[in-house]
Amino acid sequence: MKKQVIQFLKDNRERHLQELEDFLKIPSISALSEYHDDTVRAAEWVQQELGNIGFHEAKVMESDGKPVVYGEYIADGNAPTVLVYGHYDVQPVDPVHLWDSEPFEPTIRDNKIYARGATDDKGQVFMHLKVMEAVISQDEKPPVNFKVLIEGEEEIGSPNLPKFAEENADMLKADLVVVSDSALVEKGKPTITYGLRGLAGIQIDVKGANSDLHSGEYGGGVVNPIHALVKIVDSFRDENNRIQVKDFYRDIPELSQDERDALAQVPFNEDKLKSDLGVSDLDGEEGYSYVERTSVRPTLEVNGLYGGFQGEGIKTVLPNEATAKITCRLVPDQNPDHIVEQLTQHVYDNAPKGVEVEVKPFDKGKPYVTPFDHPVIQKAAQAYETVYQNDTAYIRGGGSIPIVAELDRILEVPVVLMGFGLPDENLHAPNEHFHLENFDQGMETLAHYFYLLGE
Amino acid sequence: MKKQVIQFLKDNRERHLQELEDFLKIPSISALSEYHDDTVRAAEWVQQELGNIGFHEAKVMESDGKPVVYGEYIADGNAPTVLVYGHYDVQPVDPVHLWDSEPFEPTIRDNKIYARGATDDKGQVFMHLKVMEAVISQDEKPPVNFKVLIEGEEEIGSPNLPKFAEENADMLKADLVVVSDSALVEKGKPTITYGLRGLAGIQIDVKGANSDLHSGEYGGGVVNPIHALVKIVDSFRDENNRIQVKDFYRDIPELSQDERDALAQVPFNEDKLKSDLGVSDLDGEEGYSYVERTSVRPTLEVNGLYGGFQGEGIKTVLPNEATAKITCRLVPDQNPDHIVEQLTQHVYDNAPKGVEVEVKPFDKGKPYVTPFDHPVIQKAAQAYETVYQNDTAYIRGGGSIPIVAELDRILEVPVVLMGFGLPDENLHAPNEHFHLENFDQGMETLAHYFYLLGE
């Protein structure tokens, strides 16, 4: 049966691309309220598509934010159930003038499809739908049951989906969750993201006098909020780039040698990266490789810092306030609430006198990891390798998809992150695109995976 | 004769105030090019006024910037010659909506005249003109010769006056320079500013990758320019707020006990200052009082620092550049060129790897001091004390008037800074005003001073 399924995908490629273009034409930008109706249209498009491909159930459901699309196709009560999670919303398109073709007029050039959402995540959601269509239409006894959960707020941090998933946990019950919203580490290299970093952040506001002061009259006498903030921020790390916040590393288990060995296999070209970024050196926490530092080690990065005069030339002002925005990427088993508490305490402990310091927390997300030797991960690798004819890279993503950890917590099943994008596909940037070779090979991989899960 | 002079000032008070209002009505803002014609009008107003009060010579002279007004009244080749320096230009008036009356519609309320330039410096320039008018009209044999140099670029740092003064040094030859462009330390307290701090500054630009990066993907692996800049800036001072730049303090002579005693006499109310500014503590270089720190000790203040995201909430970006603007207030005998060199070297010595650091110098100004026991200073104190019936405070100004050090260098005569403003007269801010009691007592003081100099 698998053979017919794959043949069906090949035979229907042209139609599929036209349907994908229809999906990509909807400007379902979740961050901008003027596109609200378009996000609803995108949800309805997915619902209708679920009906078209033969799902028994397909509905647009209310949440506290954008609508959520849910559908299911239960073939056999004894077969394993796969829940596919994805999102129909996309990033804003500014600056529009840097796009070579209109962001919502999909265009194929050099076997790549250009459009906002092409790789993140409409293209990859669409692949799942088409593989399911192929399985349902070609196989009287599909190997797995399908459930589909497509949300419209991933690009704004999925603020409402955890509550939705908690309230609908029974409906969403499955044996595993599959998410295709990530990328291969490089062309032709199967890649499974078996962990994601969590997120915790704070804003530090330092206030001095009740107005800006003349630096000649008051300089040297009154505490400068920028100096105070710089002192606080500099206290976060030592000369080896180890974070100095108390108990910051407390809950992180030692990396196993197996895991370090696997990470050492991840393709990484330091010279190419330095040349791509235009930097002379890479640097970070001592004792860890670049790949480790950007995936399995926590970070503390200042995302923004500002105070005082920013115009051209000089203004001899002693500013009265300064602000820093800081986020940490967290790894298991760091707890975001604990980290925010420790960061906050660290700031107060290091605040110089003569200024008022306030700390505000930002939204948080838990780190996530599935053991990479778990059977559902190993079967995904097998499916990839059958199609791509290449070993799988097991990586832990440096970024955060907070909803992944939430789904893991609420549904208590493993989450498999098998993406088909590529690192240079400009997601969140102008000229987002998706390589059609991965559209084709990815669908074939998913077909193999569903059959492997059913064995 | 002095008596008639003072009586003349009293008899003509109403006319003087009307003339002052005419002067204040001219919006001679030097920083904004759309007011250029008004600056020229202000220069012509001063020229005409010099003619009206009986000067032999009064001319508007070209400089490389705004015109300079020069005039002279030579009564007696053997009498000492006083050169009065001042400026006809004023600061911008933004934010206009915070003014209670129009900035260029002078209004008298509570014996104060409100207008941009009222205290800085048109009001004080005008006082000199009126005292000279009184002396010339009432005394057949004036005690001193008068020269007047009024420029139009003080508020933008007097970029062209040093060259002008050098080229016209013969014309400007005098026995002393008198400047009234400062304030009494408090109401009723004669105040002589016998020194001013100099200025040296740099901008530090730190560049990382060629674009902003995703803090999840690259965080922990690529050097964050904000971290690098914070490290550099924090290295400037130790925990006692001593500047750590090599040889920063090298050329500063030890403060004499006499001078420290005099500074300890300067009225200073710490509780009032803290309450006025709304701060819990004052802090600065250990081992020096607030007055010392803000007048006779050098400073290093960050006037602005910025990099990365400044909007609401959070953006998980690893920014690709960060900038700091820094100025030092300098004291004798620190050399601004040497300080800029040392600052620059310090930045390079403390720059972390993985980022590119560039340092640009800002305009510089030399520090200035006249020994406070110099006879021309002591006579100024005597004049003040006759009128104000109070001891003189000898202070060194924390701010910088770079042209003062330049006039001292070029003309090689002492400069006496005797101002009649008050600290809360909102110079450079909305609702600038000038207390008319100091307009009256100040003119009387100047009359006494000219006669004392002639003795």
Side-chain angles (χ1 to χ4, degrees), chain A residues 197 199 202-203 208-211 213-224 226-227 229-231 233-235 237-239 241 273 275-285 290 293-295 298-319 325-327 329 353-356 362-363 397-400 423 427-428, chain B residues 197 199 202-203 208-211 213-224 226-227 229-231 233-235 237-239 241 273 275-285 290 293-295 298-319 325-327 329 353-356 362-363 397-400 423 427-428:
Chain A
R197 293 199 279 196
L199 197 65
I202 56 170
Q203 174 163 324
N210 39 30
S211 71
L213 301 175
H214 188 293
S215 79
E217 260 178 88
Y218 296 96
V222 175
V223 179
N224 184 326
I226 298 182
H227 299 182
L229 182 59
V230 158
K231 200 173 154 63
V233 170
D234 201 31
S235 73
R237 41 182 23 93
D238 70 6
E239 65 281 9
N241 287 302
L273 180 65
S275 143
D276 285 351
L277 299 181
V279 300
S280 59
D281 292 280
L282 301 171
D283 201 16
E285 188 186 2
Y290 177 86
R293 295 200 310 265
T294 54
S295 63
T299 68
L300 186 159
E301 294 287 337
V302 181
N303 308 114
L305 195 154
Y306 49 97
F309 181 65
Q310 303 193 12
E312 212 182 308
I314 191 68
K315 185 178 177 188
T316 51
V317 69
L318 196 165
K325 290 166 183 280
I326 290 172
T327 48
R329 298 287 172 168
K353 68 177 180 177
V355 290
E356 221 175 282
F362 288 124
D363 283 351
S400 310
L427 62 166
H428 298 204
Chain B
R197 293 199 279 196
L199 196 66
I202 56 169
Q203 174 164 324
N210 39 32
S211 71
L213 300 175
H214 188 291
S215 78
E217 260 179 87
Y218 298 95
V222 175
V223 179
N224 183 327
I226 298 181
H227 299 182
L229 182 59
V230 158
K231 200 173 154 61
V233 171
D234 201 32
S235 74
R237 40 181 25 93
D238 70 6
E239 64 283 7
N241 286 304
L273 180 65
S275 143
D276 286 351
L277 299 181
V279 298
S280 58
D281 292 281
L282 301 171
D283 200 17
E285 187 186 2
Y290 178 87
R293 295 200 309 266
T294 54
S295 63
T299 68
L300 185 158
E301 295 287 337
V302 180
N303 308 114
L305 194 154
Y306 50 97
F309 181 64
Q310 303 193 12
E312 211 181 309
I314 190 66
K315 185 178 176 189
T316 51
V317 70
L318 195 165
K325 291 167 182 278
I326 291 171
T327 49
R329 299 287 172 167
K353 67 177 179 176
V355 290
E356 220 174 283
F362 287 125
D363 282 353
S400 309
L427 61 164
H428 298 203

